């Protein structure tokens, strides 16, 4: 309810309300941008572009409660546009800097174990095609719902489900273990 009120204020031109909305999800925006851009500088550029775009287009937002999925879709589109401008691969890249992304695999605070888990995950994801890898990362690393992923990737929810299912199946077949899709 508070988010809806802030969005309504932002739609009326309140910069403070918009900044408050953005600051509440700042870490999630950064992790999402970093997973696409591969380095913190480009991720910050994408976030700046997103903020400018949000400021100009927030009056067009019809459902206030959809602000965060709408804004993350804008962020992903900005990332893809920046990558195209840089003539880079559109889908997520795995770089050393991505290893800075805080991924909470467990309550284990041992940084060595967490680093090892990240490397294992990168190895497993590298066996998938780019669209499966993107869908699984958006769902499980960024905790986005299927509709948001579908909006971000311009495909149907069925396609997103299929990509996740096929990707998890491929990883299960290759590495074994239990997966819940």
């Amino acid at each position: 309810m508070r988010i809806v009120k802030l969005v309504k204020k932002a739609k009326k031109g309140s910069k403070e309300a918009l900044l408050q909305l953005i600051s509440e999800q700042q870490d999630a925006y950064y992790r999402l941008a970093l997973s696409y851009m591969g380095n913190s500088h480009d991720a910050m550029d994408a976030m700046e572009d997103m903020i400018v775009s949000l400021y100009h287009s927030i009056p067009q937002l019809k459902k206030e409660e959809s602000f965060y999925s709408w804004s993350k879709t804008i962020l992903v589109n900005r990332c893809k546009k920046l990558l195209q401008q840089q003539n880079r691969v559109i889908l997520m890249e795995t770089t050393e800097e991505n290893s800075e992304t805080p991924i909470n695999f467990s309550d284990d605070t041992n940084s060595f174990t967490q680093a090892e888990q990240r490397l294992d995950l990168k190895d497993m994801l590298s066996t998938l095609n780019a669209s499966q890898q993107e869908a699984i990362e958006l769902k499980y690393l960024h905790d986005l719902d299927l509709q948001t992923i579908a909006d971000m990737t311009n495909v149907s929810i069925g396609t997103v489900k299929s990509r996740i299912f096929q990707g998890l199946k491929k990883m299960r077949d290759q590495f074994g273990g239990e997966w819940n899709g």
Side-chain angles (χ1 to χ4, degrees), residues 26-136:
Q26 183 177 344
D27 291 342
Y29 289 129
Y30 178 74
R31 286 192 307 270
L32 181 61
L34 185 61
S35 68
Y36 275 89
M37 302 307 294
N39 68 65
S40 61
H41 178 73
D42 290 343
M44 294 304 289
D45 285 347
M47 286 179 59
E48 287 176 15
D49 284 356
M50 175 200 72
I51 292 169
V52 171
S53 181
L54 290 178
Y55 179 73
H56 290 294
S57 58
I58 196 163
Q60 300 166 6
L61 178 63
K62 294 178 182 166
K63 294 180 180 178
E64 286 83 9
E65 61 275 1
S66 301
F67 175 78
Y68 285 116
S69 63
W70 174 74
S71 61
K72 288 176 183 174
T73 300
I74 289 174
L75 178 60
V76 168
N77 289 334
R78 292 290 169 201
C79 289
K80 289 180 177 180
K81 184 177 177 183
L82 288 172
L83 289 172
Q84 284 176 338
Q85 290 172 349
Q86 297 171 0
N87 293 323
R88 293 168 55 185
V89 177
I90 293 175
L91 297 176
M92 290 180 228
E93 295 181 34
T94 55
T95 65
E96 288 301 314
E97 194 160 348
N98 269 348
S99 65
E100 295 175 7
T101 304
I103 300 171
N104 188 13
F105 292 99
S106 66
D107 291 331
D108 189 353
T109 56
N110 182 332
S111 62
F112 178 76
T113 302
Q114 289 178 353
E116 191 174 340
Q117 289 173 331
R118 273 191 223 106
L119 290 174
D120 288 345
L121 180 61
K122 282 183 180 182
D123 286 345
M124 290 191 300
L125 287 173
S126 70
T127 63
L128 306 177
N129 69 40
S131 59
Q132 291 169 339
Q133 182 179 354
E134 180 181 40
I136 288 172

Side-chain angles (χ1 to χ4, degrees), residues 11 19 33 38 70 145 148 155 161-162:
K11 287 173 88 173
L19 290 176
W70 174 74
D145 62 75
T148 301
V155 297
K161 287 180 181 177
S162 175

Side-chain angles (χ1 to χ4, degrees), residues 151-176:
D151 293 343
M152 288 178 170
T153 55
N154 295 318
V155 297
S156 69
I157 288 179
T159 301
V160 172
K161 287 180 181 177
S162 175
R163 288 176 178 172
I164 291 170
F165 176 80
Q166 293 299 324
L168 292 176
K169 181 180 182 309
K170 189 174 180 179
M171 288 194 309
R172 181 179 54 240
D173 291 347
Q174 190 160 359
F175 300 104

